[in-house]
Amino acid sequence: MRRQRPGTPTLEEVAALAGVGRGTVSRVINNAAGVKDSTRRAVQRAIAELGYVPNLAARSLAGRRADAVALVMTEPDWRQFGEPFFSEIVRSVGDALTDTEVQLLLTLVRTDAERRRLVEYARGGRVDGVMLMSVHAEDALPDMLAEVGLPTVLLGRRSGDEAVTYVDADNAGGARSAVAHLLGLGRRSIATITGPSDMYVAQCRLRGYREALERAGAESDAAWTAEGDFSAESGHRAMAELLSRAPEIDGVFAASDTMAAGALNALRAAGRRVPEDVAVIGFDDFPLAQHTDPKLTTVRQPLEDIGRTMVRLLLEEMEEPAVAWRHVILRTELVLRDSA
C-alpha cells in the first residue's frame, strides 16, 4: 500500500528509503544498465511506497548520460606522474566511486591540442563530469569545460579568485604549523623549498612559511628560499643550493614529502645530521614519510577525504547543477616523527 504523506516526494527521499544514492535511483528510473536486480527492486519498491513521480524533463536529460567521469591530470611535465600524490588521489577517487555505477576514466592532458580534444570528447556526451588535478595558474581548461556546461571539480585552485568548484587542503595553515614547530624547537635560520611558482598550492605554502616567521618576529632571508617542482630530484638540488648560499641554515620546510626526501639526501651528502644540525619538515604525509632516514615529520593533508569530497561534489552537480560554484577547504595536521 502506498504511504500517504504531505508534499511531493523527492529523489533524495526515494534514495534514503531504498538505501542507495541519488545516482542509482536515476539509473533505475531511466532503465539504465549496470544496476543489480536486487537494488533495482528496492528502488522500485521505494518509488511505489512514496508515490514518487519522476520529473520527465530531468529523466530525458538523464537518459543521455554516459555513466562515466574523467579524472584529468594536467601536469605538463609527465615525469611528475610518478610522484606519490597522483597515485594517492587516483586511489581515493576510485574508492569513492566503488559503490556507484559510474566508470572512472583517467586522462592525461598537457598541450592545447589535448585540451581541445578533451573538451570535444566531453561535449560529445562521453563523460558526465570531470575532476581536474595539478592545474597551473594560466590553465584555461576549467573555463573551457565550464563554457560547455560540463560539471567540473578542481583539486586545488588556480588562484584565490577561483570561479570553478574546488576541493583543497589548508595549505597556508599547514605551512604555518610546520614553521611554528621549527621555531618552537629553537631553530632560527629556517629555509623553505617551494613548489612551482605558477601553482597556487605552492604560493599558499610559501605564504604560510612567511606568515609564521612574521608572527614570531623571526628573521627571514631571501637566500633561504629555493624553488623545486615537487620531485625528489628538485628537493635535492634546492637543498644543495640553499646550503651553498646559507650554510647557517638549521631548519627546512619543504613543500612536499618527496622534496623533503631529496633534501634529506642532500643534507646527508653534505655531512649535516638530521635533526641535530638541520631539522626537516615535509608536506603531504605520503607513506614515503615513514620510510625516510630519519622518518619524516610532515603536514598531513587528508588525501582520502579530498578524493571523496571531489567525487561527492561532482556527483551532486551531475544530478542537479549548482547555481554557484562551491569551495571546500579541508584541515591539515602536523605529524611529528624523527626529522624535527
Side-chain angles (χ1 to χ4, degrees):
M1 183 175 69
R2 195 174 281 180
R3 179 185 300 174
Q4 298 299 316
R5 53 195 314 280
T8 303
T10 65
L11 192 71
E12 288 84 358
E13 289 171 325
V14 173
L17 183 59
V20 299
R22 286 173 49 112
T24 301
V25 175
S26 293
R27 283 186 287 278
V28 171
I29 290 171
N30 290 283
N31 200 30
V35 180
K36 295 180 181 177
D37 288 342
S38 59
T39 301
R40 190 181 298 276
R41 287 193 297 270
V43 171
Q44 290 169 341
R45 283 196 300 269
I47 289 173
E49 183 174 354
L50 293 173
Y52 175 76
V53 179
N55 180 300
L56 296 180
R59 179 175 178 176
S60 174
L61 178 62
R64 296 197 295 271
R65 284 199 172 167
D67 286 330
V69 297
L71 177 60
V72 181
M73 294 188 281
T74 60
E75 175 57 54
D77 185 351
W78 284 36
R79 294 174 301 172
Q80 299 301 318
F81 297 127
E83 299 301 322
F85 177 80
F86 293 96
S87 59
E88 289 294 315
I89 290 297
V90 171
R91 181 189 61 78
S92 66
V93 167
D95 287 348
L97 287 169
T98 297
D99 295 330
T100 74
E101 303 297 334
V102 178
Q103 179 71 31
L104 178 64
L105 306 178
L106 185 61
T107 306
L108 312 180
V109 170
R110 63 173 181 174
T111 67
D112 288 340
E114 289 169 346
R115 286 177 179 83
R116 289 192 295 271
R117 283 200 297 270
L118 175 67
V119 172
E120 289 306 311
Y121 183 84
R123 192 201 299 269
R126 295 179 177 89
V127 295
D128 302 314
V130 171
M131 291 169 281
L132 298 176
M133 58 190 297
S134 192
V135 180
H136 291 248
E138 301 303 321
D139 197 332
L141 183 56
D143 304 316
M144 295 165 68
L145 293 167
E147 286 173 6
V148 299
L150 191 74
T152 301
V153 177
L154 304 184
L155 195 172
R157 43 193 157 150
R158 292 169 293 177
S159 74
D161 300 320
E162 183 58 72
V164 176
T165 293
Y166 68 75
V167 181
D168 205 355
D170 182 7
N171 293 295
R176 284 195 302 269
S177 68
V179 178
H181 179 68
L182 290 171
L183 290 165
L185 295 175
R187 307 301 166 126
R188 289 297 175 265
S189 301
I190 301 173
T192 185
I193 300 174
T194 76
S197 59
D198 67 338
M199 295 187 72
Y200 192 63
V201 58
Q203 297 168 24
C204 288
R205 293 176 189 179
L206 176 58
R207 186 176 77 243
Y209 160 83
R210 289 171 173 166
E211 288 173 351
L213 293 177
E214 291 170 5
R215 291 181 182 183
E219 193 175 332
S220 107
D221 191 317
W224 296 349
T225 300
E227 183 174 329
D229 60 14
F230 291 131
S231 69
E233 292 78 7
S234 72
H236 189 289
R237 182 175 62 253
M239 189 71 249
E241 178 184 331
L242 288 167
L243 289 174
S244 68
R245 292 200 312 242
E248 73 279 9
I249 287 170
D250 60 5
V252 176
F253 166 60
S256 77
D257 286 349
T258 47
M259 292 195 299
L264 290 175
N265 291 334
L267 288 165
R268 186 179 300 109
R272 303 293 183 91
R273 298 170 301 163
V274 177
E276 293 85 353
D277 300 326
V278 183
V280 177
I281 298 181
F283 201 115
D284 290 319
D285 197 29
F286 295 143
L288 165 71
Q290 299 189 53
H291 298 288
T292 56
D293 183 20
K295 292 182 179 180
L296 188 63
T297 291
T298 185
V299 177
R300 175 182 294 156
Q301 60 171 327
L303 295 181
E304 183 171 345
D305 288 345
I306 288 173
R308 289 188 177 277
T309 304
M310 289 175 65
V311 169
R312 176 177 62 80
L313 293 180
L314 187 65
L315 294 179
E316 288 175 357
E317 190 162 331
M318 285 161 49
E319 290 294 338
E320 189 171 341
V323 175
W325 58 82
R326 292 176 287 177
H327 297 164
V328 178
I329 298 177
L330 301 176
R331 292 182 179 180
T332 58
E333 174 189 0
L334 183 63
V335 179
L336 301 181
R337 296 195 180 96
D338 300 331
S339 68

